[in-house]
Amino acid sequence: MLKEHPGWIVLKKLRGMCALYELEGRKVTITLDPRKDIVPSLIHESLHHWYPDWPESKVEKHERLIMNSLTSSQTKHILILLADVLNKKIYYRKTMKNKKS
Ligand SMILES: [Zn+2]
């Protein structure tokens, strides 16, 4: 997911939810609230992406199953990939700003 759609992870404070999955045409945006559980939220929203027909209860169940089965090093790998994606996003934005001036 992170490799598939690297630019579409957004960190933003959300009201009344931990995360948000949005699909507009082919564009996917996953918004994660930095005050909440980022890894379970990312897995949850990725499941919505991969299995759009699943009801919320099935997504929640599989989110728990995945979170309970992840090893510390697998979780670390997810966090490293997420940080890498966010880092590239910041870098890309700076580069775009530099090109305009
Ligand atoms: Zn959900």
Side-chain angles (χ1 to χ4, degrees):
M1 182 73 196
L2 289 169
K3 286 177 182 168
E4 241 179 284
H5 304 291
W8 300 335
I9 306 283
V10 176
L11 282 183
K12 186 181 162 190
K13 290 178 186 172
L14 294 167
R15 207 176 260 227
M17 59 182 92
C18 297
L20 185 62
Y21 172 79
E22 294 167 293
L23 179 65
E24 285 178 49
R26 288 176 51 85
K27 188 182 177 237
V28 175
T29 306
I30 290 181
T31 307
L32 301 170
D33 189 327
R35 299 171 299 177
K36 309 285 174 147
D37 298 326
I38 284 183
V39 175
S41 297
L42 180 61
I43 286 167
H44 183 101
E45 301 309 328
S46 297
L47 286 168
H48 276 304
H49 176 72
W50 291 320
Y51 306 102
D53 300 334
W54 281 12
E56 191 63 24
S57 59
K58 192 171 181 180
V59 170
E60 285 172 358
K61 182 184 166 197
H62 281 79
E63 175 202 323
R64 277 194 303 278
L65 288 170
I66 291 168
M67 282 312 297
N68 289 331
S69 67
L70 279 179
T71 64
S72 296
S73 67
Q74 286 171 325
T75 307
K76 190 171 87 178
H77 187 69
I78 290 170
L79 286 169
I80 289 168
L81 282 174
L82 178 62
D84 190 45
V85 164
L86 294 170
N87 187 38
K88 277 180 189 153
K89 204 173 169 189
I90 289 166
Y91 174 76
Y92 179 72
R93 199 171 25 191
K94 277 181 186 165
T95 306
M96 291 303 285
K97 208 187 277 178
N98 289 344
K99 277 183 183 170
K100 279 182 199 164
S101 58

